[in-house]
Amino acid sequence: LFGRKAVTGIAAAALAVAGAGACLAALGLALGSSVGLRPPGPQGPLVLVIAGQASIASAEEVYYRGLLLGELLRLAPRLGVQHPAARRWIALGLTSLLFGIEHGGLAGGWDDGTRQLIFALALGALLGMIVLLTDNLWLAASLHAWINWLLLRAVPEFAYGPAKAPLPPGASVSMALIAAFVVAFVIQRRTIARGAA
C-alpha cells in the first residue's frame, strides 16, 4: 500500500477500465450501433456512494488480499504445504471462498444468491491473482471500487442503439478484468526485468 505503488495501481486500473470502454465502444460502432454514455443514477448522494464504496473496496482488499492471502502464504509451509505453487493456489482458493461467502446471500432467492456467490468467488480469485502477479493492492482495490460503482450506477454506463439501452454491467466488468490482466502481466514483466538488472 505504500509509495509509488498507489500511483501505479490506480493508473493501471484506470488504464484497464478506459481500455475496456474503448473496446466496447469500438465494438458497438463496428456493429452499426450508436454509442453513448448514460449519466450516473445512484440510489443516494453520488459523493457518498463513491466515497463509501471506495472505502469498502479498499478495506476488503486489505483484509482479503493483503492480510489473509499474505498470512496463508506465510503459514502454508508450517501446515505441510511446501510447494510454492500449491501454497499460492490454496491461499487463493481459501481467500476467494471467504470473499464469496461474505458476498453471497439468499435474500433475493436461491437463483440470485447462487449467482452472487459465484460472481464473488470468481471476482475474489481474479483480484487475488492480480495481487499475486503485481504485488499491488491498489490495483485490486481500484478495480473492486469501480465494479462496486458500476453495479450501483455511480459511474457513467455505456448505452447503445437509438433507445440508448444500457450495456449489462457484466460485459464492462469482464472486459475491464481482461484488460487488468494484460496490465498486470506488463507490470510483472517490468518488475522481473528491473530485478534482473
Side-chain angles (χ1 to χ4, degrees), residues 1 21 35 38 55 62-64 77 86-87 96 135 138-139 162 164-166 175 181-182:
L1 284 173
V35 178
R38 290 178 50 172
S55 298
V62 167
Y63 180 68
Y64 286 104
R87 288 197 307 256
S96 300
D135 195 31
W138 287 100
L139 174 54
K164 296 295 182 204
M175 290 296 291
F181 269 95
V182 171

Side-chain angles (χ1 to χ4, degrees), residues 132-179:
L132 289 173
L133 276 172
T134 64
D135 195 31
N136 191 325
L137 282 175
W138 287 100
L139 174 54
S142 299
L143 287 169
H144 188 159
W146 175 76
I147 291 168
N148 289 356
W149 296 335
L150 184 69
L151 295 175
L152 293 173
R153 295 199 60 229
V155 290
E157 301 172 273
F158 276 106
Y160 296 90
K164 296 295 182 204
L167 185 69
S172 295
V173 169
S174 299
M175 290 296 291
L177 288 171
I178 291 167

Side-chain angles (χ1 to χ4, degrees), residues 90-133:
I90 288 171
L92 185 63
L94 287 173
T95 55
S96 300
L97 180 63
L98 291 172
F99 185 74
I101 290 170
E102 179 201 352
H103 287 80
L106 296 176
W110 181 256
D111 289 341
D112 192 42
T114 303
R115 189 173 22 257
Q116 286 177 0
L117 176 66
I118 291 170
F119 176 77
L121 281 168
L123 183 62
L126 294 171
L127 291 173
M129 286 181 209
I130 287 172
V131 169
L132 289 173
L133 276 172

Side-chain angles (χ1 to χ4, degrees), residues 49-67:
V49 172
I50 289 175
Q53 290 302 315
S55 298
I56 290 169
S58 297
E60 286 181 342
E61 291 309 313
V62 167
Y63 180 68
Y64 286 104
R65 263 61 75 181
L67 178 68

Side-chain angles (χ1 to χ4, degrees), residues 9-102:
I10 294 169
L15 180 64
V17 169
C23 288
L24 289 170
L27 181 62
L29 291 172
L31 294 174
S33 178
S34 62
V35 178
L37 287 176
R38 290 178 50 172
Q43 301 291 325
L46 182 62
V47 173
L48 290 179
V49 172
I50 289 175
Q53 290 302 315
S55 298
I56 290 169
S58 297
E60 286 181 342
E61 291 309 313
V62 167
Y63 180 68
Y64 286 104
R65 263 61 75 181
L67 178 68
L68 287 181
L69 184 65
E71 284 301 304
L72 286 170
L73 287 169
R74 187 179 69 78
L75 292 173
R78 293 182 186 173
L79 300 172
V81 183
Q82 300 301 325
H83 196 273
R87 288 197 307 256
R88 282 191 300 272
W89 284 112
I90 288 171
L92 185 63
L94 287 173
T95 55
S96 300
L97 180 63
L98 291 172
F99 185 74
I101 290 170
E102 179 201 352

